[in-house]
Amino acid sequence: MELARATNRSVRLRNRSALLTKLFLDGPLTRQDLVRSTGLSQPAVSNVVADLIDEGLVAEAGAAESDGGRPSMLLRMAPRFAFVVGVDVGETRVRVELFDFAMTLLASIEYPLDPARTEPDLVAGHVLAGIDAVTGQAGVAPGDVLGVGIGVSGVVEQGVEAVVHAQALGWDRVPLERLIGAGTDLPLHIDNGAKTLGQAEMWFGAGRGARHAVFALVGSGVGASVVTNGATYRGASSSAGEWGHTTLVYGGRACRCGARGCLEAYVGAEAIIDRYREARRGRPVPGEDEESQIAALVAAAETSATARRVLDDTAGYLGAGVANLINLFNPERVVLGGWAAMALGDLLPAVREAAGRQALRQPYEQASIELCRLGVDAVALGAATLPIARFLTEGGVRR
């Protein structure tokens, strides 16, 4: 009898998970849509939906268009059921954003980071201050926040507590979850920033509908998220996707990781600026920070052959790196994201051309290469989906 009850509970949670996931990603939908798309029976869908409405998780969203007869009612996730916080811990700033359950942005705040001062305690303090700030701005009580997702540069070692290895920040086995958790009772979910960008684009952006894709993050540093058969590939210890530290030129330019010739040493924002400075024979690049310096380079390329050559070389290097991704993973799509990729978006045709020269013909012809659709907020948005993904997997039961 106990086994039967446990089995029934398990089946019901699976059904809840299937329906909630479908509504979250594709809603609003009718009950009949849910029957067709999940394979569940009409009675099963009706019973679970009734429970979800009673719990305040799902709400009716008006009548669907009808060709005659009684119109069906559309269903969607209840936007105010809960709230989530997404955090992007980059190399130049910490961005904290608050979303409702429909992933509508409610509040946002940024804290600039001095590259010379990226101490873990300082970053944790910014995250905690940001959580207080955005919930305060939106008038959201902490008890209504489902969780906090954090996308961070570097390798995130998952375990009882997430530990971060980020050489670019000078971090070695930093217990980031413990540091942030000391200042909040909210559930924390930490992952690599490229992986959170990839999840956001898979759910809401350029990756929708793809089963095999690679999402490349090009900012101060460079990384990637590899999605195979709809799931993020993590490797033995979750460090898969360190695309920026694959070798582009053996014995080439020095990389911040300590190796030479890494892709990041050619196409990361810091490296692009360094190459432009060298091309200018050591003269400083105009601008107060990396973003303004990249903007100055793009603007100068309109009239300067030197700047144009740096951008052309950057497109070639980036195209070669994309070709490696195509040859290794045979994706349907390669999506370029991150603030530097967006700032250099006009290089996309040249990147495609360079990738075509370097990649094997058949896998290249099967792959599209495009810019991300969610812009510079993709890392924080993807981070905010981490607590939601856990919630959906567990059938909409708060732990």
Side-chain angles (χ1 to χ4, degrees):
M1 184 66 71
E2 189 63 34
L3 178 60
R5 280 199 292 267
T7 301
N8 288 338
R9 282 196 301 271
S10 176
V11 169
R12 196 162 186 82
L13 283 175
R14 278 204 308 273
N15 291 349
R16 285 170 62 100
S17 176
L19 293 174
L20 285 171
T21 300
K22 197 67 184 172
L23 281 172
F24 184 84
L25 294 178
D26 298 326
L29 299 168
T30 66
R31 289 168 176 80
Q32 277 304 117
D33 292 332
L34 291 171
V35 170
R36 285 190 292 267
S37 60
T38 65
L40 298 176
S41 68
Q42 181 77 53
V45 169
S46 296
N47 289 338
V48 173
V49 165
D51 289 345
L52 296 174
I53 291 174
D54 287 344
E55 294 167 24
L57 243 172
V58 169
E60 294 185 336
E65 291 185 9
S66 174
D67 295 329
R70 185 179 177 184
S72 299
M73 193 61 65
L74 289 166
L75 303 168
R76 65 171 181 170
M77 303 295 290
R80 307 291 289 186
F81 172 77
F83 304 85
V84 286
V85 175
V87 182
D88 175 3
V89 177
E91 296 180 27
T92 58
R93 62 172 49 83
V94 175
R95 176 183 284 119
V96 184
E97 299 182 339
L98 177 73
F99 301 86
D100 67 14
F101 227 55
M103 299 312 292
T104 300
L105 179 63
L106 302 179
S108 178
I109 193 167
E110 287 188 356
Y111 301 91
L113 281 179
D114 180 345
R117 291 203 63 217
T118 56
E119 295 90 347
D121 286 339
L122 177 66
V123 170
H126 286 331
V127 173
L128 291 167
I131 294 169
D132 288 343
V134 295
T135 52
Q137 288 174 32
V140 170
D144 292 330
V145 177
L146 182 67
V148 178
I150 302 164
V152 62
S153 301
V155 175
V156 179
E157 184 180 346
Q158 303 291 351
V160 177
E161 291 181 325
V163 174
V164 180
H165 308 257
Q167 288 174 235
L169 298 175
W171 293 6
D172 183 28
R173 292 193 57 80
V174 168
L176 188 62
E177 184 171 354
R178 186 189 314 162
L179 292 175
I180 297 171
T184 180
D185 292 327
L186 295 175
L188 302 176
H189 308 259
I190 302 178
D191 207 345
N192 168 266
K195 291 183 173 66
T196 70
L197 178 145
Q199 179 149 310
E201 291 289 337
M202 278 294 288
W203 281 19
F204 311 117
R208 278 183 68 88
R211 300 294 294 169
H212 303 275
V214 181
F215 301 90
L217 189 157
V218 183
S220 301
V222 177
S225 174
V226 179
V227 173
T228 178
N229 202 28
T232 301
Y233 177 70
R234 295 184 171 275
S237 60
S238 202
S239 72
E242 287 296 324
W243 176 53
H245 300 291
T246 56
T247 301
L248 183 68
V249 179
Y250 180 74
R253 297 176 63 87
C255 182
R256 300 179 301 171
C257 73
R260 301 191 73 88
C262 295
L263 178 67
E264 184 177 297
Y266 292 85
V267 303
E270 181 179 311
I272 295 171
I273 293 163
D274 282 345
R275 289 194 293 108
Y276 186 34
R277 184 184 302 111
E278 290 169 6
R280 287 163 54 89
R281 298 180 180 177
R283 285 184 294 135
V285 176
E288 297 180 353
D289 55 25
E290 288 182 357
E291 294 185 28
S292 60
Q293 290 173 316
I294 291 290
L297 166 60
V298 171
E302 296 290 331
T303 56
S304 165
T306 298
R308 184 72 258 164
R309 186 169 61 254
V310 170
L311 289 184
D312 289 345
D313 288 346
T314 299
Y317 294 137
L318 191 52
V322 168
N324 288 339
L325 294 174
I326 291 171
N327 288 345
L328 282 169
F329 299 110
N330 187 208
E332 302 163 64
R333 297 175 202 168
V334 178
V335 178
L336 301 176
W339 71 262
M342 303 305 292
L344 300 171
D346 288 346
L347 297 182
L348 185 60
V351 171
R352 288 175 176 147
E353 184 180 340
R357 290 195 301 269
Q358 297 298 124
L360 292 171
R361 186 182 306 113
Q362 192 267 350
Y364 173 76
E365 290 174 349
Q366 289 184 335
S368 65
I369 303 168
E370 53 195 273
L371 288 176
C372 81
R373 296 181 190 168
L374 301 176
V376 296
D377 286 339
V379 172
L381 175 63
T385 69
L386 298 179
I388 291 179
R390 172 76 63 84
F391 181 75
L392 296 177
T393 300
E394 294 178 347
V397 178
R398 296 184 74 160
R399 302 296 180 185

